[in-house]
């Protein structure tokens, strides 16, 4: 079990390379019922942006070993570039804030996903509330 009180601002929480192959994207689309099917101007398939966000957040949740009773309180995301199906992205997360109010610990996490070429494709932050 992680001692959340010892997590420090600026600490890297997770770093994971994610393959956005047709199977991974298809599994995401099927799980959420996404019917958007984004495509590039040349007709090639693009990854739904929220699939990147879901995989990045999943890496954070797994790294933090989030217990039951946790609340995903907020999330702000920005998508900077389209990502073709078959690409890999590097998803990283760092702790922006760790505080306790009443009986809740608030963890604010900055997330970023970069393409194989190093360009940012997604950035954002999320707030997770855990029983203190």
């Amino acid at each position: 079990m992680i001692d959340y009180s010892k997590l420090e601002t600026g600490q890297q929480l997770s770093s994971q390379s994610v393959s956005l192959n047709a199977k991974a994207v298809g599994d995401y689309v099927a799980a959420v019922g996404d019917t958007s099917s984004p495509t590039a101007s040349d007709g090639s398939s693009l990854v739904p942006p929220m699939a990147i966000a879901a995989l990045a957040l999943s890496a954070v949740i797994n790294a933090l070993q989030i217990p039951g009773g946790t609340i995903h309180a907020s999330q702000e995301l920005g998508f900077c570039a389209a990502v073709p199906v078959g690409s890999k992205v590097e998803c990283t997360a760092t702790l922006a804030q760790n505080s306790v109010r009443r009986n809740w610990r608030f963890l604010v996490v900055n997330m970023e996903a970069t393409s194989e070429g190093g360009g940012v494709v997604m950035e954002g932050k999320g707030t997770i509330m855990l029983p203190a």
Side-chain angles (χ1 to χ4, degrees):
M1 182 82 179
I2 292 178
D3 184 349
Y4 300 104
S5 68
K6 294 189 178 184
L7 296 176
E8 296 181 14
T9 299
Q11 179 177 344
Q12 186 174 36
L13 301 173
S14 66
S15 180
Q16 178 177 340
S17 181
V18 176
S19 178
L20 299 168
N21 58 40
K23 180 179 179 348
V25 172
D27 288 348
Y28 167 81
V29 167
V32 301
D34 187 344
T35 59
S36 63
S37 302
T39 56
S41 59
D42 65 2
S44 61
S45 296
L46 298 173
V47 178
M50 288 306 292
I52 299 167
L55 292 168
L57 185 59
S58 175
V60 173
I61 289 168
N62 290 334
L64 288 174
Q65 302 171 19
I66 298 296
T70 299
I71 298 171
H72 182 181
S74 70
Q75 187 163 310
E76 299 172 31
L77 299 170
F79 298 94
C80 311
V83 177
V85 171
S87 299
K88 285 187 180 181
V89 294
E90 183 69 26
C91 299
T92 58
T94 56
L95 188 64
Q97 181 181 340
N98 184 354
S99 60
V100 175
R101 289 181 223 146
R102 298 200 183 197
N103 294 326
W104 291 95
R105 176 168 303 280
F106 290 76
L107 300 177
V108 179
V109 178
N110 289 332
M111 297 179 292
E112 182 177 83
T114 55
S115 67
E116 292 174 282
V120 176
V121 298
M122 183 207 77
E123 56 190 359
K125 70 178 182 177
T127 302
I128 301 167
M129 296 170 52
L130 304 113

